[in-house]
Short mmCIF file of all heavy atoms in Angstrom, two decimals:
data_model
loop_
_atom_site.label_atom_id
_atom_site.label_comp_id
_atom_site.label_asym_id
_atom_site.label_seq_id
_atom_site.Cartn_x
_atom_site.Cartn_y
_atom_site.Cartn_z
N VAL A 1 0.83 -1.20 0.00
CA VAL A 1 0.00 0.00 0.00
C VAL A 1 0.87 1.26 0.00
O VAL A 1 0.62 2.21 -0.76
CB VAL A 1 -0.96 0.00 1.20
CG1 VAL A 1 -1.73 1.32 1.28
CG2 VAL A 1 -1.94 -1.17 1.10
N GLN A 2 1.92 1.25 0.83
CA GLN A 2 2.85 2.38 0.85
C GLN A 2 3.52 2.56 -0.51
O GLN A 2 3.64 3.68 -1.02
CB GLN A 2 3.93 2.16 1.91
CG GLN A 2 3.43 2.17 3.35
CD GLN A 2 3.05 3.57 3.81
OE1 GLN A 2 1.94 4.03 3.56
NE2 GLN A 2 3.96 4.24 4.47
N GLY A 3 3.93 1.45 -1.08
CA GLY A 3 4.59 1.51 -2.39
C GLY A 3 3.68 2.06 -3.46
O GLY A 3 4.10 2.87 -4.30
N ASP A 4 2.42 1.64 -3.45
CA ASP A 4 1.47 2.13 -4.45
C ASP A 4 1.19 3.62 -4.27
O ASP A 4 1.02 4.35 -5.25
CB ASP A 4 0.17 1.34 -4.39
CG ASP A 4 0.28 0.00 -5.11
OD1 ASP A 4 1.32 -0.26 -5.73
OD2 ASP A 4 -0.69 -0.78 -5.05
N HIS A 5 1.14 4.08 -3.02
CA HIS A 5 0.96 5.51 -2.80
C HIS A 5 2.16 6.30 -3.33
O HIS A 5 1.99 7.39 -3.90
CB HIS A 5 0.74 5.80 -1.31
CG HIS A 5 -0.65 5.51 -0.86
ND1 HIS A 5 -0.94 4.77 0.27
CD2 HIS A 5 -1.86 5.84 -1.39
CE1 HIS A 5 -2.25 4.67 0.42
NE2 HIS A 5 -2.83 5.31 -0.58
N MET A 6 3.35 5.76 -3.18
CA MET A 6 4.55 6.40 -3.76
C MET A 6 4.44 6.44 -5.28
O MET A 6 4.79 7.45 -5.91
CB MET A 6 5.80 5.65 -3.33
CG MET A 6 6.10 5.77 -1.84
SD MET A 6 7.41 4.65 -1.29
CE MET A 6 8.84 5.38 -2.11
N GLY A 7 3.93 5.35 -5.87
CA GLY A 7 3.73 5.33 -7.31
C GLY A 7 2.72 6.36 -7.78
O GLY A 7 2.89 6.98 -8.84
N MET A 8 1.66 6.57 -6.99
CA MET A 8 0.67 7.60 -7.34
C MET A 8 1.31 8.98 -7.37
O MET A 8 1.04 9.78 -8.27
CB MET A 8 -0.47 7.58 -6.33
CG MET A 8 -1.36 6.36 -6.39
SD MET A 8 -2.59 6.43 -5.05
CE MET A 8 -2.86 4.69 -4.75
N LEU A 9 2.16 9.25 -6.39
CA LEU A 9 2.84 10.55 -6.36
C LEU A 9 3.78 10.69 -7.57
O LEU A 9 3.92 11.78 -8.12
CB LEU A 9 3.63 10.70 -5.06
CG LEU A 9 2.78 10.82 -3.79
CD1 LEU A 9 3.67 10.77 -2.55
CD2 LEU A 9 1.96 12.10 -3.81
N ALA A 10 4.38 9.58 -7.99
CA ALA A 10 5.25 9.61 -9.17
C ALA A 10 4.46 10.01 -10.42
O ALA A 10 4.95 10.76 -11.27
CB ALA A 10 5.91 8.25 -9.38
N THR A 11 3.20 9.55 -10.52
CA THR A 11 2.41 9.92 -11.69
C THR A 11 2.06 11.41 -11.67
O THR A 11 1.93 12.03 -12.73
CB THR A 11 1.10 9.10 -11.79
OG1 THR A 11 0.21 9.48 -10.73
CG2 THR A 11 1.37 7.61 -11.73
N VAL A 12 1.92 11.97 -10.48
CA VAL A 12 1.66 13.42 -10.39
C VAL A 12 2.89 14.20 -10.83
O VAL A 12 2.79 15.21 -11.54
CB VAL A 12 1.23 13.82 -8.96
CG1 VAL A 12 1.08 15.33 -8.85
CG2 VAL A 12 -0.08 13.13 -8.59
N ILE A 13 4.08 13.74 -10.43
CA ILE A 13 5.32 14.38 -10.87
C ILE A 13 5.41 14.35 -12.40
O ILE A 13 5.71 15.37 -13.04
CB ILE A 13 6.54 13.67 -10.25
CG1 ILE A 13 6.59 13.91 -8.74
CG2 ILE A 13 7.85 14.16 -10.91
CD1 ILE A 13 7.63 13.08 -8.01
N ASN A 14 5.14 13.20 -13.00
CA ASN A 14 5.16 13.10 -14.46
C ASN A 14 4.09 13.99 -15.09
O ASN A 14 4.32 14.59 -16.15
CB ASN A 14 4.95 11.65 -14.89
CG ASN A 14 6.18 10.80 -14.74
OD1 ASN A 14 7.30 11.31 -14.67
ND2 ASN A 14 6.00 9.49 -14.66
N GLY A 15 2.94 14.06 -14.44
CA GLY A 15 1.87 14.93 -14.95
C GLY A 15 2.28 16.39 -14.96
O GLY A 15 1.99 17.13 -15.90
N LEU A 16 2.97 16.81 -13.90
CA LEU A 16 3.47 18.20 -13.84
C LEU A 16 4.48 18.46 -14.95
O LEU A 16 4.47 19.53 -15.58
CB LEU A 16 4.09 18.47 -12.48
CG LEU A 16 3.12 18.63 -11.30
CD1 LEU A 16 3.88 18.54 -9.98
CD2 LEU A 16 2.40 19.97 -11.40
N ALA A 17 5.36 17.49 -15.19
CA ALA A 17 6.37 17.64 -16.23
C ALA A 17 5.71 17.74 -17.61
O ALA A 17 6.07 18.60 -18.43
CB ALA A 17 7.35 16.47 -16.19
N LEU A 18 4.73 16.89 -17.87
CA LEU A 18 4.03 16.92 -19.15
C LEU A 18 3.22 18.19 -19.30
O LEU A 18 3.17 18.79 -20.37
CB LEU A 18 3.13 15.69 -19.28
CG LEU A 18 2.39 15.53 -20.60
CD1 LEU A 18 3.36 15.45 -21.77
CD2 LEU A 18 1.49 14.28 -20.56
N GLN A 19 2.60 18.63 -18.21
CA GLN A 19 1.85 19.88 -18.23
C GLN A 19 2.74 21.05 -18.63
O GLN A 19 2.37 21.89 -19.45
CB GLN A 19 1.24 20.13 -16.85
CG GLN A 19 0.40 21.41 -16.79
CD GLN A 19 -0.20 21.63 -15.41
OE1 GLN A 19 0.46 21.41 -14.39
NE2 GLN A 19 -1.46 22.06 -15.36
N SER A 20 3.93 21.10 -18.06
CA SER A 20 4.88 22.17 -18.37
C SER A 20 5.26 22.15 -19.85
O SER A 20 5.30 23.19 -20.52
CB SER A 20 6.13 22.04 -17.50
OG SER A 20 7.08 23.02 -17.82
N ALA A 21 5.54 20.94 -20.38
CA ALA A 21 5.92 20.82 -21.79
C ALA A 21 4.79 21.23 -22.72
O ALA A 21 5.00 21.91 -23.73
CB ALA A 21 6.35 19.38 -22.09
N LEU A 22 3.56 20.85 -22.37
CA LEU A 22 2.41 21.22 -23.20
C LEU A 22 2.17 22.72 -23.18
O LEU A 22 1.90 23.33 -24.22
CB LEU A 22 1.16 20.49 -22.70
CG LEU A 22 1.11 18.97 -22.94
CD1 LEU A 22 -0.01 18.33 -22.15
CD2 LEU A 22 0.96 18.67 -24.43
N GLU A 23 2.31 23.33 -22.02
CA GLU A 23 2.09 24.78 -21.94
C GLU A 23 3.20 25.55 -22.64
O GLU A 23 2.95 26.61 -23.19
CB GLU A 23 1.92 25.18 -20.48
CG GLU A 23 0.60 24.64 -19.91
CD GLU A 23 0.31 25.08 -18.49
OE1 GLU A 23 1.24 25.54 -17.80
OE2 GLU A 23 -0.86 24.95 -18.07
N ASP A 24 4.42 25.00 -22.63
CA ASP A 24 5.50 25.61 -23.41
C ASP A 24 5.18 25.60 -24.90
O ASP A 24 5.63 26.46 -25.65
CB ASP A 24 6.83 24.87 -23.16
CG ASP A 24 7.45 25.23 -21.82
OD1 ASP A 24 7.01 26.22 -21.20
OD2 ASP A 24 8.37 24.51 -21.38
N ALA A 25 4.38 24.61 -25.31
CA ALA A 25 3.98 24.50 -26.72
C ALA A 25 2.71 25.31 -27.02
O ALA A 25 2.19 25.27 -28.13
CB ALA A 25 3.75 23.03 -27.08
N GLY A 26 2.23 26.04 -26.00
CA GLY A 26 1.07 26.91 -26.20
C GLY A 26 -0.27 26.23 -26.02
O GLY A 26 -1.29 26.74 -26.49
N ILE A 27 -0.28 25.08 -25.34
CA ILE A 27 -1.52 24.33 -25.15
C ILE A 27 -2.04 24.55 -23.73
O ILE A 27 -1.32 24.30 -22.76
CB ILE A 27 -1.28 22.82 -25.36
CG1 ILE A 27 -0.66 22.56 -26.74
CG2 ILE A 27 -2.58 22.04 -25.20
CD1 ILE A 27 -0.12 21.16 -26.90
N PRO A 28 -3.28 25.02 -23.57
CA PRO A 28 -3.84 25.17 -22.22
C PRO A 28 -4.10 23.80 -21.60
O PRO A 28 -4.55 22.87 -22.30
CB PRO A 28 -5.15 25.93 -22.46
CG PRO A 28 -5.52 25.63 -23.87
CD PRO A 28 -4.23 25.44 -24.63
N THR A 29 -3.79 23.65 -20.34
CA THR A 29 -3.92 22.34 -19.68
C THR A 29 -4.54 22.47 -18.30
O THR A 29 -4.58 23.56 -17.72
CB THR A 29 -2.55 21.67 -19.50
OG1 THR A 29 -1.80 22.41 -18.53
CG2 THR A 29 -1.78 21.59 -20.80
N ARG A 30 -4.98 21.34 -17.80
CA ARG A 30 -5.36 21.20 -16.40
C ARG A 30 -4.86 19.85 -15.92
O ARG A 30 -4.99 18.85 -16.62
CB ARG A 30 -6.89 21.27 -16.21
CG ARG A 30 -7.50 22.64 -16.44
CD ARG A 30 -7.04 23.68 -15.42
NE ARG A 30 -7.73 24.95 -15.59
CZ ARG A 30 -7.35 25.91 -16.40
NH1 ARG A 30 -6.26 25.74 -17.15
NH2 ARG A 30 -8.04 27.04 -16.49
N LEU A 31 -4.25 19.85 -14.74
CA LEU A 31 -3.82 18.61 -14.11
C LEU A 31 -4.79 18.29 -12.99
O LEU A 31 -4.98 19.11 -12.08
CB LEU A 31 -2.40 18.75 -13.56
CG LEU A 31 -1.85 17.58 -12.74
CD1 LEU A 31 -1.80 16.30 -13.56
CD2 LEU A 31 -0.45 17.92 -12.19
N GLN A 32 -5.42 17.12 -13.07
CA GLN A 32 -6.34 16.69 -12.01
C GLN A 32 -5.78 15.44 -11.35
O GLN A 32 -5.25 14.55 -12.02
CB GLN A 32 -7.73 16.40 -12.58
CG GLN A 32 -8.43 17.63 -13.11
CD GLN A 32 -9.92 17.40 -13.33
OE1 GLN A 32 -10.40 16.28 -13.41
NE2 GLN A 32 -10.67 18.48 -13.44
N SER A 33 -5.89 15.39 -10.03
CA SER A 33 -5.32 14.27 -9.27
C SER A 33 -6.41 13.52 -8.53
O SER A 33 -7.35 14.11 -7.99
CB SER A 33 -4.28 14.79 -8.28
OG SER A 33 -3.83 13.75 -7.43
#
C-alpha cells in the first residue's frame, strides 16, 4: 500500500512535467489528481 501511494505521487510528478511541456507548446492544460 505504501509503495502504491509512492507510485501515485510519481504519476503526479510526471503529470506536472508533461503539463509544463504542453504549456511551453502553447496548449492550455489542467492537471487533475
